Amino acid sequence: MAFLGSSSDPSRFPFVPGIPPVTVVGAEGNYLHTADGRRILDGAGGAIVNNIGYGRPEIAETAAKALSGNGYTVPLFATEARLALLDRLVGNWLPPTMSRAMFVNGGSESVDSAVRISRQHHVAKGNTDKWKVLGRATSYHGATLASLSVANHDRRREGLGPLLMDLPKVDNFDAEQVIKTIEAEDPASVAALIMEPVTGASGAAQVAPDDYWPTLRQYTADNNILLIADEVMSGFGRTGRKFGVDNWDVVPDILVGSKGLAGGYAAMGGVFATEAVAEPLIGHTVMYFTFSGADLSCAIADRVLQILEDEDLVARAATMGTLFRSMLEERFGDHPHVADIRGLGLLQGLEFTKDRSTGADYNGALAPLVNAQALTRDCWIYPAGSALVPDAVMFGPSFTVTTEELEKLVDITAESLDAAVAELEGSSTRVSG
Ligand SMILES: Cc1ncc(COP(=O)(O)O)c(C=O)c1O
Protein backbone atom coordinates (compact mmCIF):
# COMPACT_ATOMS: atom_id res chain seq x y z
CA MET A 1 0.00 0.00 0.00
CA ALA A 2 1.59 3.28 -1.09
CA PHE A 3 1.37 6.01 1.53
CA LEU A 4 3.52 8.67 -0.06
CA GLY A 5 4.06 10.03 -3.56
CA SER A 6 7.68 11.19 -3.60
CA SER A 7 9.25 13.48 -6.12
CA SER A 8 12.13 14.63 -3.93
CA ASP A 9 15.74 13.64 -4.54
CA PRO A 10 16.71 10.43 -2.65
CA SER A 11 20.44 11.20 -2.94
CA ARG A 12 19.86 13.79 -0.15
CA PHE A 13 18.94 11.02 2.25
CA PRO A 14 22.07 9.11 3.34
CA PHE A 15 24.22 10.76 6.01
CA VAL A 16 27.28 9.75 4.02
CA PRO A 17 26.66 10.75 0.39
CA GLY A 18 26.85 7.86 -2.08
CA ILE A 19 24.72 5.93 -4.53
CA PRO A 20 21.11 7.24 -4.31
CA PRO A 21 19.06 4.71 -2.37
CA VAL A 22 15.87 3.01 -3.50
CA THR A 23 12.88 5.05 -2.32
CA VAL A 24 10.29 2.82 -0.66
CA VAL A 25 6.77 4.25 -0.72
CA GLY A 26 4.88 1.28 0.70
CA ALA A 27 4.94 -2.45 1.32
CA GLU A 28 2.54 -5.36 1.37
CA GLY A 29 3.07 -9.01 2.25
CA ASN A 30 6.67 -9.78 1.35
CA TYR A 31 7.13 -7.02 -1.22
CA LEU A 32 8.43 -3.47 -0.96
CA HIS A 33 6.92 -0.91 -3.36
CA THR A 34 9.23 1.78 -4.73
CA ALA A 35 8.63 5.31 -6.00
CA ASP A 36 9.51 4.21 -9.54
CA GLY A 37 6.87 1.50 -9.50
CA ARG A 38 8.98 -1.59 -8.71
CA ARG A 39 7.90 -4.44 -6.43
CA ILE A 40 10.94 -5.76 -4.59
CA LEU A 41 10.77 -9.25 -3.07
CA ASP A 42 12.15 -8.88 0.45
CA GLY A 43 14.24 -11.99 1.08
CA ALA A 44 15.71 -10.55 4.26
CA GLY A 45 12.75 -9.07 6.13
CA GLY A 46 14.52 -5.70 5.79
CA ALA A 47 17.37 -6.31 8.26
CA ILE A 48 16.03 -9.74 9.39
CA VAL A 49 13.21 -7.91 11.16
CA ASN A 50 9.90 -8.45 9.40
CA ASN A 51 8.24 -11.69 10.49
CA ILE A 52 4.47 -11.27 9.99
CA GLY A 53 4.54 -9.61 6.55
CA TYR A 54 4.19 -5.94 5.67
CA GLY A 55 1.06 -3.78 5.70
CA ARG A 56 -0.97 -5.65 8.32
CA PRO A 57 -4.14 -3.64 9.04
CA GLU A 58 -4.36 -5.10 12.59
CA ILE A 59 -1.12 -3.35 13.46
CA ALA A 60 -2.33 -0.01 12.12
CA GLU A 61 -5.47 -0.37 14.28
CA THR A 62 -3.39 -1.25 17.35
CA ALA A 63 -1.10 1.74 16.73
CA ALA A 64 -4.01 4.16 16.36
CA LYS A 65 -5.53 2.90 19.62
CA ALA A 66 -2.20 3.15 21.47
CA LEU A 67 -1.68 6.71 20.25
CA SER A 68 -5.07 7.76 21.49
CA GLY A 69 -3.93 6.82 25.01
CA ASN A 70 -1.28 8.32 27.25
CA GLY A 71 1.18 9.75 24.74
CA TYR A 72 4.25 9.59 26.94
CA THR A 73 4.79 7.87 30.29
CA VAL A 74 8.12 7.91 32.09
CA PRO A 75 9.65 4.38 31.98
CA LEU A 76 9.54 4.18 35.80
CA PHE A 77 5.73 3.89 35.72
CA ALA A 78 3.68 0.90 34.62
CA THR A 79 1.03 1.29 31.91
CA GLU A 80 -1.58 -1.10 30.60
CA ALA A 81 0.41 -1.64 27.40
CA ARG A 82 3.63 -2.36 29.32
CA LEU A 83 1.92 -4.82 31.64
CA ALA A 84 0.08 -6.60 28.83
CA LEU A 85 3.33 -7.13 26.93
CA LEU A 86 5.14 -8.29 30.06
CA ASP A 87 2.36 -10.79 30.78
CA ARG A 88 2.47 -12.18 27.26
CA LEU A 89 6.27 -12.44 27.25
CA VAL A 90 6.47 -14.16 30.64
CA GLY A 91 3.41 -16.33 30.03
CA ASN A 92 3.96 -17.45 26.44
CA TRP A 93 7.48 -16.72 25.24
CA LEU A 94 10.33 -16.51 27.73
CA PRO A 95 11.88 -19.56 29.43
CA PRO A 96 10.00 -20.29 32.70
CA THR A 97 12.80 -18.98 34.93
CA MET A 98 12.90 -15.63 33.13
CA SER A 99 10.47 -13.24 34.71
CA ARG A 100 12.20 -9.83 34.66
CA ALA A 101 12.01 -7.53 31.63
CA MET A 102 13.36 -4.10 30.83
CA PHE A 103 12.15 -2.55 27.58
CA VAL A 104 14.44 -0.57 25.30
CA ASN A 105 14.25 0.78 21.74
CA GLY A 106 16.44 -1.57 19.74
CA GLY A 107 19.18 -4.19 19.64
CA SER A 108 22.20 -2.05 20.52
CA GLU A 109 20.39 -0.56 23.51
CA SER A 110 19.47 -4.04 24.70
CA VAL A 111 23.08 -5.25 24.51
CA ASP A 112 24.45 -2.07 26.07
CA SER A 113 21.99 -2.46 28.93
CA ALA A 114 22.86 -6.15 29.38
CA VAL A 115 26.56 -5.26 29.61
CA ARG A 116 25.79 -2.63 32.28
CA ILE A 117 23.44 -4.95 34.17
CA SER A 118 26.00 -7.76 34.30
CA ARG A 119 28.65 -5.47 35.79
CA GLN A 120 26.15 -3.93 38.22
CA HIS A 121 24.90 -7.37 39.24
CA HIS A 122 28.38 -8.51 40.29
CA VAL A 123 29.24 -5.21 42.01
CA ALA A 124 25.98 -5.36 43.96
CA LYS A 125 27.01 -8.82 45.18
CA GLY A 126 30.42 -7.53 46.23
CA ASN A 127 32.32 -9.11 43.32
CA THR A 128 33.94 -5.89 42.17
CA ASP A 129 36.75 -7.69 40.29
CA LYS A 130 34.26 -9.04 37.78
CA TRP A 131 34.05 -6.61 34.87
CA LYS A 132 35.09 -8.24 31.58
CA VAL A 133 32.37 -9.12 29.09
CA LEU A 134 33.72 -11.58 26.57
CA GLY A 135 32.31 -12.04 23.09
CA ARG A 136 33.14 -14.22 20.12
CA ALA A 137 35.77 -13.85 17.39
CA THR A 138 32.98 -13.50 14.84
CA SER A 139 30.16 -11.44 16.28
CA TYR A 140 28.04 -8.32 15.97
CA HIS A 141 26.12 -6.92 18.92
CA GLY A 142 25.31 -3.35 17.87
CA ALA A 143 26.73 0.07 17.11
CA THR A 144 27.09 1.70 20.53
CA LEU A 145 30.63 1.78 21.89
CA ALA A 146 29.94 -0.93 24.49
CA SER A 147 28.19 -3.23 22.03
CA LEU A 148 30.99 -2.72 19.48
CA SER A 149 33.53 -3.49 22.22
CA VAL A 150 32.07 -6.84 23.20
CA ALA A 151 31.77 -7.85 19.52
CA ASN A 152 34.29 -8.20 16.75
CA HIS A 153 32.93 -6.94 13.44
CA ASP A 154 36.10 -5.49 11.92
CA ARG A 155 34.44 -3.29 9.28
CA ARG A 156 32.02 -1.82 11.80
CA ARG A 157 34.80 -1.18 14.37
CA GLU A 158 37.15 0.37 11.80
CA GLY A 159 39.08 3.36 13.17
CA LEU A 160 37.26 3.31 16.51
CA GLY A 161 39.99 1.41 18.42
CA PRO A 162 40.89 3.99 21.08
CA LEU A 163 37.22 4.49 21.98
CA LEU A 164 36.49 0.79 22.47
CA MET A 165 37.18 -1.40 25.51
CA ASP A 166 39.97 -3.84 24.80
CA LEU A 167 38.20 -7.11 25.61
CA PRO A 168 39.41 -10.60 24.63
CA LYS A 169 37.46 -12.60 22.05
CA VAL A 170 36.66 -16.31 22.30
CA ASP A 171 36.50 -19.14 19.77
CA ASN A 172 33.39 -19.36 17.58
CA PHE A 173 32.95 -23.13 17.53
CA ASP A 174 35.13 -24.86 20.13
CA ALA A 175 33.80 -24.64 23.70
CA GLU A 176 37.05 -26.01 25.19
CA GLN A 177 38.99 -23.18 23.53
CA VAL A 178 36.51 -20.67 24.95
CA ILE A 179 37.10 -22.08 28.43
CA LYS A 180 40.88 -21.88 27.91
CA THR A 181 40.60 -18.18 27.02
CA ILE A 182 38.46 -17.48 30.10
CA GLU A 183 40.88 -19.41 32.32
CA ALA A 184 43.79 -17.41 30.89
CA GLU A 185 41.90 -14.18 31.67
CA ASP A 186 40.96 -15.47 35.15
CA PRO A 187 37.27 -16.36 35.58
CA ALA A 188 37.20 -14.14 38.70
CA SER A 189 37.60 -11.12 36.39
CA VAL A 190 34.89 -12.16 33.93
CA ALA A 191 31.39 -10.76 34.44
CA ALA A 192 29.66 -12.22 31.40
CA LEU A 193 29.94 -14.12 28.14
CA ILE A 194 27.78 -12.81 25.30
CA MET A 195 27.01 -14.87 22.19
CA GLU A 196 24.54 -15.01 19.30
CA PRO A 197 22.82 -18.43 19.06
CA VAL A 198 23.10 -18.09 15.28
CA THR A 199 25.83 -15.65 14.31
CA GLY A 200 24.13 -13.07 12.11
CA ALA A 201 25.57 -10.05 10.32
CA SER A 202 29.22 -10.90 10.98
CA GLY A 203 29.02 -14.61 10.18
CA ALA A 204 26.06 -15.13 7.82
CA ALA A 205 24.04 -17.60 9.89
CA GLN A 206 26.87 -19.64 11.42
CA VAL A 207 25.76 -22.32 13.87
CA ALA A 208 28.12 -23.75 16.50
CA PRO A 209 28.36 -27.53 17.11
CA ASP A 210 25.70 -29.04 19.38
CA ASP A 211 27.93 -29.25 22.48
CA TYR A 212 28.98 -25.57 22.37
CA TRP A 213 26.09 -23.85 24.16
CA PRO A 214 25.40 -26.60 26.75
CA THR A 215 29.12 -26.85 27.67
CA LEU A 216 29.42 -23.11 28.08
CA ARG A 217 26.16 -22.92 30.01
CA GLN A 218 27.58 -25.35 32.54
CA TYR A 219 30.99 -23.68 32.70
CA THR A 220 29.60 -20.15 33.17
CA ALA A 221 27.20 -21.36 35.88
CA ASP A 222 30.08 -23.05 37.70
CA ASN A 223 32.22 -19.91 37.55
CA ASN A 224 29.69 -17.23 38.45
CA ILE A 225 29.83 -15.78 34.93
CA LEU A 226 26.54 -14.54 33.43
CA LEU A 227 25.63 -16.07 30.08
CA ILE A 228 24.00 -13.50 27.78
CA ALA A 229 22.20 -14.77 24.69
CA ASP A 230 21.99 -12.05 22.05
CA GLU A 231 18.72 -13.02 20.39
CA VAL A 232 18.29 -9.68 18.61
CA MET A 233 18.33 -11.48 15.26
CA SER A 234 17.59 -15.10 16.21
CA GLY A 235 14.78 -14.46 18.71
CA PHE A 236 10.99 -14.60 18.50
CA GLY A 237 10.75 -17.55 16.15
CA ARG A 238 13.35 -16.76 13.51
CA THR A 239 15.18 -20.11 13.88
CA GLY A 240 11.97 -22.12 14.02
CA ARG A 241 11.98 -22.15 17.84
CA LYS A 242 10.85 -19.34 20.13
CA PHE A 243 14.48 -18.46 20.81
CA GLY A 244 17.73 -19.60 19.25
CA VAL A 245 18.94 -21.09 22.55
CA ASP A 246 15.88 -23.38 22.57
CA ASN A 247 17.63 -25.36 19.83
CA TRP A 248 19.96 -26.68 22.57
CA ASP A 249 17.58 -26.43 25.55
CA VAL A 250 19.79 -23.82 27.16
CA VAL A 251 18.47 -21.07 29.44
CA PRO A 252 20.81 -18.07 29.63
CA ASP A 253 20.95 -15.67 32.59
CA ILE A 254 20.15 -12.70 30.38
CA LEU A 255 18.45 -12.78 26.99
CA VAL A 256 18.23 -9.71 24.78
CA GLY A 257 15.84 -9.39 21.86
CA SER A 258 14.64 -6.76 19.44
CA LYS A 259 14.07 -7.14 15.70
CA GLY A 260 11.31 -9.77 15.63
CA LEU A 261 9.74 -8.58 18.88
CA ALA A 262 7.73 -5.92 17.08
CA GLY A 263 8.28 -7.31 13.57
CA GLY A 264 9.60 -3.97 12.31
CA TYR A 265 6.38 -2.09 13.09
CA ALA A 266 7.98 -0.26 16.04
CA ALA A 267 11.41 0.49 17.49
CA MET A 268 11.46 -2.05 20.28
CA GLY A 269 13.84 -4.18 22.28
CA GLY A 270 14.06 -5.90 25.61
CA VAL A 271 16.47 -7.21 28.22
CA PHE A 272 15.07 -10.29 29.91
CA ALA A 273 16.60 -11.89 32.97
CA THR A 274 16.12 -14.37 35.77
CA GLU A 275 15.18 -13.32 39.33
CA ALA A 276 18.71 -14.32 40.37
CA VAL A 277 20.16 -11.66 38.04
CA ALA A 278 17.73 -8.92 39.04
CA GLU A 279 17.38 -9.53 42.78
CA PRO A 280 20.83 -8.20 43.85
CA LEU A 281 20.04 -4.97 41.98
CA ILE A 282 17.23 -4.01 44.36
CA GLY A 283 18.04 -0.55 45.69
CA HIS A 284 20.46 0.25 42.84
CA THR A 285 19.83 2.39 39.78
CA VAL A 286 19.57 0.54 36.48
CA MET A 287 19.17 3.44 34.11
CA TYR A 288 16.49 3.43 31.45
CA PHE A 289 16.30 5.38 28.17
CA THR A 290 13.73 8.20 27.97
CA PHE A 291 11.69 6.40 25.33
CA SER A 292 12.02 2.88 26.77
CA GLY A 293 8.78 0.94 26.71
CA ALA A 294 6.72 3.52 24.84
CA ASP A 295 3.05 2.51 24.85
CA LEU A 296 3.03 2.56 21.05
CA SER A 297 5.95 0.11 20.86
CA CYS A 298 4.65 -2.14 23.65
CA ALA A 299 1.16 -2.33 22.15
CA ILE A 300 2.56 -3.13 18.71
CA ALA A 301 4.94 -5.76 20.10
CA ASP A 302 2.07 -7.37 22.01
CA ARG A 303 -0.02 -7.50 18.81
CA VAL A 304 2.85 -8.88 16.72
CA LEU A 305 3.45 -11.65 19.28
CA GLN A 306 -0.27 -12.38 19.33
CA ILE A 307 -0.27 -12.74 15.53
CA LEU A 308 2.76 -15.06 15.72
CA GLU A 309 0.82 -17.16 18.25
CA ASP A 310 -2.60 -17.10 16.51
CA GLU A 311 -1.17 -18.00 13.11
CA ASP A 312 1.33 -20.53 14.47
CA LEU A 313 4.08 -18.67 12.65
CA VAL A 314 7.02 -20.01 14.69
CA ALA A 315 6.15 -23.53 13.52
CA ARG A 316 5.81 -22.10 10.00
CA ALA A 317 9.30 -20.59 10.25
CA ALA A 318 10.56 -24.11 11.03
CA THR A 319 8.78 -25.81 8.11
CA MET A 320 9.45 -23.08 5.56
CA GLY A 321 13.05 -22.93 6.84
CA THR A 322 13.52 -26.65 6.17
CA LEU A 323 12.00 -26.27 2.71
CA PHE A 324 14.15 -23.23 1.92
CA ARG A 325 17.31 -24.99 3.09
CA SER A 326 16.61 -27.94 0.79
CA MET A 327 16.09 -25.51 -2.12
CA LEU A 328 19.40 -23.78 -1.33
CA GLU A 329 21.21 -27.10 -1.10
CA GLU A 330 19.77 -28.33 -4.36
CA ARG A 331 20.72 -25.13 -6.20
CA PHE A 332 24.05 -24.26 -4.56
CA GLY A 333 25.30 -27.59 -3.13
CA ASP A 334 27.74 -28.04 -6.03
CA HIS A 335 28.13 -24.42 -7.01
CA PRO A 336 31.81 -23.61 -7.70
CA HIS A 337 31.53 -20.29 -5.83
CA VAL A 338 29.54 -21.41 -2.78
CA ALA A 339 31.71 -22.63 0.10
CA ASP A 340 28.98 -23.23 2.66
CA ILE A 341 25.20 -23.24 3.14
CA ARG A 342 24.09 -22.89 6.75
CA GLY A 343 21.63 -21.59 9.29
CA LEU A 344 18.55 -22.56 11.25
CA GLY A 345 14.89 -21.99 10.36
CA LEU A 346 14.37 -18.86 8.30
CA LEU A 347 17.85 -17.53 9.07
CA GLN A 348 20.04 -18.99 6.35
CA GLY A 349 23.32 -17.93 4.80
CA LEU A 350 25.58 -18.60 1.83
CA GLU A 351 29.32 -18.14 2.12
CA PHE A 352 31.08 -17.51 -1.18
CA THR A 353 34.51 -18.50 -2.44
CA LYS A 354 36.63 -17.71 -5.46
CA ASP A 355 37.74 -21.31 -5.78
CA ARG A 356 36.10 -24.09 -3.80
CA SER A 357 39.01 -26.47 -4.20
CA THR A 358 41.59 -24.10 -2.70
CA GLY A 359 39.30 -22.06 -0.42
CA ALA A 360 40.58 -18.82 -1.99
CA ASP A 361 38.23 -15.86 -1.64
CA TYR A 362 37.49 -12.62 -3.45
CA ASN A 363 38.45 -10.58 -0.41
CA GLY A 364 34.92 -9.43 0.27
CA ALA A 365 34.28 -8.22 -3.27
CA LEU A 366 31.70 -10.79 -4.38
CA ALA A 367 28.90 -10.44 -1.80
CA PRO A 368 28.22 -6.71 -2.42
CA LEU A 369 27.99 -7.42 -6.15
CA VAL A 370 25.59 -10.33 -5.59
CA ASN A 371 23.51 -8.05 -3.42
CA ALA A 372 23.51 -5.27 -6.06
CA GLN A 373 22.71 -7.72 -8.86
CA ALA A 374 19.79 -9.09 -6.87
CA LEU A 375 18.46 -5.58 -6.31
CA THR A 376 18.50 -4.86 -10.05
CA ARG A 377 16.37 -8.03 -10.33
CA ASP A 378 13.92 -6.65 -7.74
CA CYS A 379 15.04 -8.81 -4.85
CA TRP A 380 16.59 -7.80 -1.51
CA ILE A 381 19.02 -10.13 0.21
CA TYR A 382 21.18 -9.23 3.20
CA PRO A 383 24.90 -8.53 2.82
CA ALA A 384 26.84 -10.20 5.64
CA GLY A 385 30.32 -11.15 6.76
CA SER A 386 33.38 -9.83 8.56
CA ALA A 387 37.08 -10.71 8.87
CA LEU A 388 36.77 -14.51 9.18
CA VAL A 389 33.79 -14.68 6.81
CA PRO A 390 34.81 -12.21 4.11
CA ASP A 391 32.14 -12.91 1.50
CA ALA A 392 28.61 -13.97 2.40
CA VAL A 393 24.92 -13.15 2.17
CA MET A 394 22.01 -13.95 4.45
CA PHE A 395 18.34 -14.65 3.99
CA GLY A 396 15.66 -13.94 6.58
CA PRO A 397 12.26 -13.59 4.94
CA SER A 398 9.04 -13.08 6.84
CA PHE A 399 7.53 -16.25 8.37
CA THR A 400 4.58 -15.70 6.00
CA VAL A 401 6.81 -16.29 2.95
CA THR A 402 5.30 -18.63 0.36
CA THR A 403 6.90 -21.55 -1.50
CA GLU A 404 6.70 -19.56 -4.75
CA GLU A 405 8.45 -16.59 -3.15
CA LEU A 406 11.22 -18.85 -1.83
CA GLU A 407 11.64 -20.37 -5.31
CA LYS A 408 11.91 -16.88 -6.77
CA LEU A 409 14.44 -15.90 -4.09
CA VAL A 410 16.64 -18.89 -4.92
CA ASP A 411 16.35 -18.30 -8.69
CA ILE A 412 17.28 -14.63 -8.42
CA THR A 413 20.16 -15.36 -6.03
CA ALA A 414 21.57 -17.94 -8.46
CA GLU A 415 21.32 -15.55 -11.43
CA SER A 416 22.80 -12.73 -9.35
CA LEU A 417 25.72 -14.86 -8.19
CA ASP A 418 26.58 -15.87 -11.76
CA ALA A 419 26.29 -12.28 -12.96
CA ALA A 420 28.43 -11.02 -10.04
CA VAL A 421 31.17 -13.59 -10.69
CA ALA A 422 31.17 -12.65 -14.39
CA GLU A 423 31.41 -8.98 -13.43
CA LEU A 424 34.31 -9.65 -11.08
CA GLU A 425 36.20 -11.99 -13.39
CA GLY A 426 35.72 -9.54 -16.24
CA SER A 427 37.08 -6.58 -14.30
CA SER A 428 40.71 -5.92 -13.43
CA THR A 429 39.89 -3.88 -10.31
CA ARG A 430 39.55 -5.67 -6.99
CA VAL A 431 37.32 -4.11 -4.39
CA SER A 432 38.61 -4.48 -0.84
CA GLY A 433 36.36 -6.06 1.78
C1 LIG B 1 22.75 -10.03 17.00
C2 LIG B 1 22.57 -8.54 16.97
N1 LIG B 1 22.71 -7.83 18.09
C3 LIG B 1 22.54 -6.50 18.12
C4 LIG B 1 22.23 -5.79 16.97
C5 LIG B 1 22.04 -4.31 17.03
O1 LIG B 1 20.70 -4.00 16.85
P1 LIG B 1 20.24 -2.54 16.42
O2 LIG B 1 20.74 -2.32 15.03
O3 LIG B 1 18.74 -2.60 16.53
O4 LIG B 1 20.81 -1.57 17.39
C6 LIG B 1 22.07 -6.49 15.78
C7 LIG B 1 21.74 -5.77 14.54
O5 LIG B 1 21.82 -6.29 13.46
C8 LIG B 1 22.25 -7.90 15.77
O6 LIG B 1 22.11 -8.62 14.66
Side-chain angles (χ1 to χ4, degrees):
M1 186 180 63
F3 60 86
L4 182 83
S6 173
S7 57
S8 62
D9 174 11
S11 65
R12 290 185 303 121
F13 175 68
F15 176 65
V16 179
I19 302 166
V22 166
T23 301
V24 175
V25 293
E28 200 156 27
N30 299 314
Y31 285 87
L32 304 169
H33 303 176
T34 67
D36 56 359
R38 293 162 63 194
R39 279 167 57 88
I40 297 179
L41 173 63
D42 190 346
I48 325 289
V49 173
N50 180 29
N51 49 12
I52 59 165
Y54 293 117
R56 289 271 194 151
E58 311 94 295
I59 302 292
E61 282 158 26
T62 300
K65 201 168 154 224
L67 286 175
S68 65
N70 300 352
Y72 177 79
T73 309
V74 68
L76 292 171
F77 298 169
T79 67
E80 266 181 50
R82 287 171 185 168
L83 293 174
L85 177 59
L86 181 63
D87 284 349
R88 185 181 298 282
L89 283 164
V90 172
N92 302 357
W93 287 84
L94 294 168
T97 53
M98 267 193 177
S99 46
R100 314 301 315 179
M102 188 171 100
F103 298 127
V104 293
N105 303 289
S108 303
E109 283 189 7
S110 70
V111 169
D112 214 284
S113 306
V115 169
R116 264 187 292 122
I117 288 170
S118 17
R119 167 66 181 162
Q120 287 185 289
H121 164 89
H122 289 299
V123 172
K125 283 167 65 183
N127 297 317
T128 51
D129 288 344
K130 280 192 169 282
W131 67 273
K132 295 174 192 163
V133 178
L134 270 50
R136 282 156 115 187
T138 302
S139 51
Y140 181 64
H141 295 298
T144 61
L145 295 177
S147 55
L148 284 168
S149 297
V150 298
N152 205 28
H153 195 307
D154 55 327
R155 293 174 216 162
R156 296 179 183 179
R157 288 165 55 112
E158 195 183 308
L160 298 173
L163 296 174
L164 303 178
M165 287 177 279
D166 184 16
L167 291 161
K169 298 295 174 278
V170 301
D171 197 273
N172 292 324
F173 301 116
D174 185 337
E176 292 309 321
Q177 289 301 326
V178 177
I179 293 170
K180 273 191 189 150
T181 304
I182 298 177
E183 293 290 326
E185 285 300 316
D186 183 2
S189 71
V190 178
L193 177 64
I194 182 166
M195 311 194 294
E196 296 159 80
V198 177
T199 307
S202 61
Q206 280 179 328
V207 184
D210 276 346
D211 69 332
Y212 188 86
W213 276 84
T215 305
L216 293 173
R217 172 63 291 186
Q218 189 60 53
Y219 176 82
T220 48
D222 292 346
N223 287 276
N224 191 21
I225 293 169
L226 298 178
L227 181 63
I228 306 173
D230 180 347
E231 298 261 12
V232 167
M233 197 175 268
S234 57
F236 298 100
R238 174 58 61 189
T239 70
R241 305 290 298 267
K242 283 178 185 162
F243 293 100
V245 285
D246 295 341
N247 288 286
W248 304 282
D249 293 328
V250 158
V251 179
D253 300 295
I254 300 177
L255 184 155
V256 299
S258 173
K259 296 173 186 267
L261 171 55
Y265 286 94
M268 186 59 183
V271 183
F272 310 108
T274 58
E275 289 295 326
V277 169
E279 198 267 344
L281 295 168
I282 294 170
H284 297 270
T285 300
V286 177
M287 192 49 196
Y288 54 81
F289 302 98
T290 298
F291 295 110
S292 296
D295 270 5
L296 178 63
S297 309
C298 288
I300 289 176
D302 188 47
R303 194 74 182 92
V304 167
L305 295 183
Q306 192 192 349
I307 289 172
L308 290 173
E309 291 165 24
D310 289 351
E311 298 178 15
D312 209 10
L313 288 178
V314 178
R316 193 160 199 280
T319 37
M320 295 312 272
T322 305
L323 175 68
F324 184 42
R325 175 61 167 270
S326 64
M327 289 178 182
L328 289 172
E329 271 164 15
E330 197 181 316
R331 187 65 67 94
F332 297 106
D334 296 322
H335 196 287
H337 295 288
V338 174
D340 196 21
I341 305 166
R342 57 187 175 229
L344 285 174
L346 280 174
L347 184 53
Q348 296 286 333
L350 294 181
E351 184 169 353
F352 300 130
T353 178
K354 184 173 182 182
D355 181 342
R356 225 173 133 138
S357 59
T358 63
D361 61 55
Y362 281 111
N363 194 23
L366 183 54
L369 292 181
V370 176
N371 186 250
Q373 287 285 351
L375 203 49
T376 64
R377 291 168 172 77
D378 290 345
C379 178
W380 170 242
I381 55 183
Y382 204 64
S386 59
L388 297 173
V389 184
D391 240 334
V393 294
M394 244 187 334
F395 306 94
S398 158
F399 308 168
T400 60
V401 72
T402 64
T403 303
E404 294 69 38
E405 286 165 347
L406 289 176
E407 279 164 356
K408 189 169 165 185
L409 184 55
V410 172
D411 285 347
I412 294 180
T413 304
E415 284 168 28
S416 305
L417 175 56
D418 292 345
V421 170
E423 204 181 329
L424 212 50
E425 294 292 349
S427 95
S428 53
T429 352
R430 290 281 177 271
V431 187
S432 133

